[in-house]
Amino acid sequence: MPRTLQPVLSDADLPVAELWAARIDGELFRLGDCFTPIDEVEQPSHRARAVFSATSDFAAHRGRLIAEQLSAAWIWGATGAPPVRHQFCVAMASRTGRDLPRSISLREVVIEDCDIVILGGCRVTTALRTIIDLARFSETFEGQDARAVSSLMHLSGITLESSVEQMNSRRNLPGKHRAIQRLSRC
């Protein structure tokens, strides 16, 4: 009986040489640091699984991790490639150790359940939360960050008004005024 492939494959599923051989043979295509069978239609759930494959060395904390900012933007389809260093957050109550692989960054944040969706079994910030976080926390908000926000607003139908309304509904939100200025330029 032929073996059915998972929709997203990493070196945890097959040896790296076998994955690359299947890629060269045209059976798989690259998806971030993972691979996907060519008959799969790439979706946010596939990209979420690919992002979370970067956490295999951090498996004990995986259930608490939430993909955010540029990693979430890529999952939502707002950027053409994943970030070099994946960005995750955890809720303040879910403190986690700092022995992280270099391939990821981690922040402890105040986050509500309504700011999180499950895609491919992985926790990801909603498109709205992703837009707001990128506008609030990007150092310069130029280039990739601004393009990701603009693209995500277009793809999701989220408006400046709904973003501002969401930020205004939060008490003591750091970076709110800067975020509103940045979003008004998108």
Side-chain angles (χ1 to χ4, degrees):
M1 176 186 255
R3 189 167 120 190
T4 305
L5 294 177
Q6 295 292 323
V8 178
L9 301 166
S10 70
D11 59 0
D13 301 302
L14 294 169
V16 173
E18 202 171 322
L19 291 168
W20 277 103
R23 159 68 177 83
I24 291 168
D25 290 343
E27 297 170 6
L28 301 176
F29 67 89
R30 287 291 308 263
L31 184 64
D33 291 332
C34 294
F35 296 85
T36 299
I38 60 166
D39 59 349
E40 285 286 329
V41 177
E42 185 181 330
Q43 299 176 39
S45 60
H46 295 102
R47 291 187 290 271
R49 288 181 185 178
V51 166
F52 275 82
S53 74
T55 67
S56 60
D57 295 336
F58 202 53
H61 303 288
R62 188 176 185 170
R64 291 179 271 186
L65 297 177
I66 307 159
E68 67 161 357
Q69 295 190 48
L70 287 174
S71 293
W74 180 66
I75 289 169
W76 289 113
T79 64
V84 173
R85 189 169 188 212
H86 283 297
Q87 297 168 301
F88 295 94
C89 63
V90 294
M92 286 293 237
S94 299
R95 294 185 180 266
T96 187
R98 293 288 175 191
D99 55 336
L100 301 172
R102 292 180 188 245
S103 62
I104 70 172
S105 68
L106 181 65
R107 299 180 319 128
E108 291 177 350
V109 300
V110 174
I111 192 163
E112 305 287 329
D113 287 341
C114 63
D115 293 327
I116 303 166
V117 296
I118 307 296
L119 296 171
C122 306
R123 294 164 34 126
V124 179
T125 55
T126 63
L128 179 58
R129 174 70 187 237
T130 301
I131 289 165
I132 291 170
D133 283 352
L134 284 169
R136 288 176 55 215
F137 298 115
S138 295
E139 287 187 33
T140 60
F141 200 68
E142 296 174 3
Q144 183 180 17
D145 296 345
R147 285 190 305 272
V149 166
S150 181
S151 178
L152 190 51
M153 288 176 86
H154 175 75
L155 288 169
S156 63
I158 294 171
T159 63
L160 171 63
E161 293 76 22
S162 61
S163 300
V164 170
E165 182 180 320
Q166 178 67 24
M167 286 187 278
N168 284 334
S169 73
R170 306 281 170 114
R171 267 187 75 210
N172 304 322
L173 188 66
K176 176 172 72 172
H177 297 293
R178 177 180 56 206
I180 292 170
Q181 290 173 340
R182 288 173 166 182
L183 291 175
S184 66
R185 295 191 312 252
C186 287

